[in-house]
């Protein structure tokens, strides 16, 4: 379909915001599907006779396949395009979520293996999602709006934790654990239909006007990202491109910055409730309510960080300054988690934790920076490598904090570790990244 036929007329449209809304909703469901087993885990264990070791093995399956599939997922995105790969990804992760609701039909002896396999396949199917989000933002949004757009889809993870956790808990209580998986799977199938019907690349979308297309293209959006691939026979990224990517000081600074940033996330996802119970003596019921406070603060910080960054850009700040200022401010706030070691007041502890997660969200501009810097030949692969570095923290952080708490008999050193990780993320951007600009490959 030609640009002229797609963008006929000169009326002003805002199709990119509809695309962003759909991405936000899908990303929130993506995270909800990840934590579904965590929410229903106690009832699943009782029903299937699983112990904590069994559950630990099953939980590990998602992270293993998610990391293993990042590079292949990025390669698939760059070879076949965002729309097609995301369609299959969304359909199959919804399918694997739904099927987990029927594990109770199998003999108990096969329960562990069945859930492990389905969680492994869930991670396999979800792996392309965030790199695909980055590609969609790079294709649909000009540079001056990119941080806000990326921050919105990235903030969906906090929104999901705050909204879906109590919803899934209620479903487990009211309908039984099996139906939790079925409901989430059906929601995913509905979203797949929405994706297929309403989402296109800019040059292929029938609703985008000539003025909007011109605005985003002139502003730096890579509107022909997938069209350019098709003209070249859809060849995958070359290995010398990957070598150049991993030898770029700017990209390595961004990658390691994301690893240190995600250390904060995984503290809150894994050890924060246990910290409140064991270190601060709160009840489980109280922890369940309090744990959603940092998530909502992270959501607000995530949105605000992108808005501030784009406003700085519109006010004449350079791209480098507009991205780094919120990152530096956010990481300084996040490092304040260390101050929890110096108070016994639970209200102050929760306030400091909420401020730290707000700061983490405010400074979490890694995805817009990837959209700004990734070479146009392999935005999907670049996002996948970025995601690999970030998700290594999902393995390192829980293990290291567990070791520190076990051997030092308190969370003090663990909070210092998390706070220092925030400062290390800041230093990666200040001392390593340098000027933020799109990386251009040297042709070999």
């Amino acid at each position: 379909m030609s640009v002229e036929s797609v963008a006929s007329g000169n009326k002003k449209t805002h199709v990119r915001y509809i695309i962003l809304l759909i991405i936000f909703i899908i990303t929130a469901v993506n995270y909800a599907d990840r934590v579904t087993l965590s929410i229903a885990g106690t009832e699943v264990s009782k029903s299937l006779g699983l112990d904590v070791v069994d559950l630990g093995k099953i939980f590990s399956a998602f992270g293993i396949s998610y990391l293993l599939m990042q590079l292949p997922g990025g390669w698939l995105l760059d070879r076949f395009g965002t729309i097609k790969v995301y369609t299959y990804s969304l359909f199959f992760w919804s399918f694997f979520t739904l099927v987990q609701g029927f594990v109770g039909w199998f003999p108990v002896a096969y329960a562990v293996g069945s859930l492990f396999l389905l969680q492994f396949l869930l991670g396999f199917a979800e792996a392309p999602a965030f790199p695909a989000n980055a590609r969609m933002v790079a294709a649909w949004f000009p540079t001056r709006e990119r941080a806000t757009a990326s921050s919105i889809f990235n903030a969906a993870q906090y929104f999901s934790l705050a909204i879906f956790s109590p919803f899934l808990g209620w479903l487990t209580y009211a309908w039984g654990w099996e139906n939790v998986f079925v409901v989430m799977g059906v929601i995913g199938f509905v979203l797949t239909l929405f994706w297929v019907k309403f989402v296109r690349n800019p040059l292929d979308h029938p609703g985008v006007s000539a003025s909007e297309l011109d605005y985003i293209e002139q502003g730096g959006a890579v509107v022909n990202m997938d069209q350019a691939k098709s003209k070249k026979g859809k060849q995958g990224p070359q290995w010398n491109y990957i070598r150049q990517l991993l030898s770029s000081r700017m990209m390595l600074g961004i990658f390691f910055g994301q690893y240190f940033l995600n250390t904060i996330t995984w503290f809150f996802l894994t050890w924060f409730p246990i910290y409140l119970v064991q270190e601060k003596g709160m009840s489980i019921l109280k922890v369940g309510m309090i744990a959603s406070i940092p998530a909502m603060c992270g959501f607000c910080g995530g949105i605000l960080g992108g808005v501030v960054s784009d406003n700085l850009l519109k006010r004449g700040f350079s791209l480098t300054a507009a991205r780094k200022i919120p990152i530096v401010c956010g990481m300084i706030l996040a490092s304040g988690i260390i101050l929890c070691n110096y108070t016994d007041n639970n209200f102050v502890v929760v306030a400091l934790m909420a401020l730290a997660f707000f700061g983490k969200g405010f400074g979490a501009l890694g995805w817009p920076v990837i959209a700004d810097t990734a070479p146009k030949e392999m935005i999907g692969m670049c996002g996948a490598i970025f995601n690999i570095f970030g998700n290594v923290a999902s393995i390192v952080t829980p293990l290291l904090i567990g070791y520190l708490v076990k051997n030092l008999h308190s969370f003090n050193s663990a909070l210092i570790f998390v706070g220092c990780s925030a400062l290390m993320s800041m230093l990666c951007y200040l001392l390593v990244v340098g000027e933020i600009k799109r990386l251009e490959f040297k042709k070999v």
Side-chain angles (χ1 to χ4, degrees), residues 240-313:
N240 68 291
Y241 285 175
I242 297 177
R243 178 183 57 79
Q244 291 183 52
L245 190 69
L246 293 177
S247 62
S248 165
R249 175 174 172 171
M250 175 183 69
M251 299 309 302
L252 286 175
I254 295 168
F255 294 157
F256 278 104
Q258 185 67 5
Y259 162 75
F260 288 116
L261 180 80
N262 269 11
T263 296
I264 309 167
T265 301
W266 284 98
F267 167 76
F268 280 99
L269 289 178
T270 55
W271 285 104
F272 178 55
I274 298 172
Y275 165 79
L276 293 178
V277 173
Q278 294 185 1
E279 194 83 359
K280 299 304 175 183
M282 298 185 188
S283 68
I284 296 295
L285 181 61
K286 188 175 182 180
V287 165
M289 295 182 291
I290 288 176
S292 65
I293 296 175
M296 286 307 300
C297 290
F299 173 74
C300 294
I303 300 294
L304 187 60
V307 172
V308 168
S309 179
D310 282 341
N311 279 335
L312 289 174
L313 201 59

Side-chain angles (χ1 to χ4, degrees), residues 259-400:
Y259 162 75
F260 288 116
L261 180 80
N262 269 11
T263 296
I264 309 167
T265 301
W266 284 98
F267 167 76
F268 280 99
L269 289 178
T270 55
W271 285 104
F272 178 55
I274 298 172
Y275 165 79
L276 293 178
V277 173
Q278 294 185 1
E279 194 83 359
K280 299 304 175 183
M282 298 185 188
S283 68
I284 296 295
L285 181 61
K286 188 175 182 180
V287 165
M289 295 182 291
I290 288 176
S292 65
I293 296 175
M296 286 307 300
C297 290
F299 173 74
C300 294
I303 300 294
L304 187 60
V307 172
V308 168
S309 179
D310 282 341
N311 279 335
L312 289 174
L313 201 59
K314 293 173 183 176
R315 290 176 179 271
F317 284 76
S318 68
L319 179 63
T320 301
R323 299 298 187 242
K324 287 187 179 183
I325 288 173
I327 291 172
V328 170
C329 294
M331 292 305 97
I332 290 174
L333 288 177
S335 68
I337 196 173
I338 298 173
L339 298 176
C340 293
N341 290 337
Y342 302 98
T343 180
D344 293 323
N345 187 304
N346 286 347
F347 176 82
V348 175
V349 167
V350 173
L352 288 171
M353 288 288 182
L355 184 63
F357 215 40
F358 173 88
K360 186 267 178 184
F362 190 81
L365 294 180
W367 282 109
V369 170
I370 284 294
D372 292 329
T373 59
K376 61 180 183 295
E377 295 90 345
M378 51 186 299
I379 293 178
M381 181 69 78
C382 186
I385 295 172
F386 174 80
N387 219 17
I388 287 175
F389 274 79
N391 280 281
V392 167
S394 70
I395 300 172
V396 174
T397 303
L399 290 175
L400 183 55

Side-chain angles (χ1 to χ4, degrees), residues 226-236 241 376-377 443:
D226 292 335
Q227 281 76 7
K229 294 291 177 194
S230 63
K231 292 177 182 178
K232 296 179 181 178
K234 293 186 178 179
Q235 296 181 359
Y241 285 175
K376 61 180 183 295
E377 295 90 345
K443 305 299 181 182

Side-chain angles (χ1 to χ4, degrees), residues 28 63 103 134 159 211 215 225 241 282 307 394 401:
V103 169
F159 179 84
S211 60
Y215 170 73
M225 186 187 304
Y241 285 175
M282 298 185 188
V307 172
S394 70
I401 290 179

Side-chain angles (χ1 to χ4, degrees), residues 20-34:
L20 182 59
L21 176 61
I22 295 174
I23 292 174
F24 177 87
I25 295 171
I26 289 175
T27 303
V29 172
N30 177 294
Y31 261 81
D33 287 342
R34 297 185 192 190

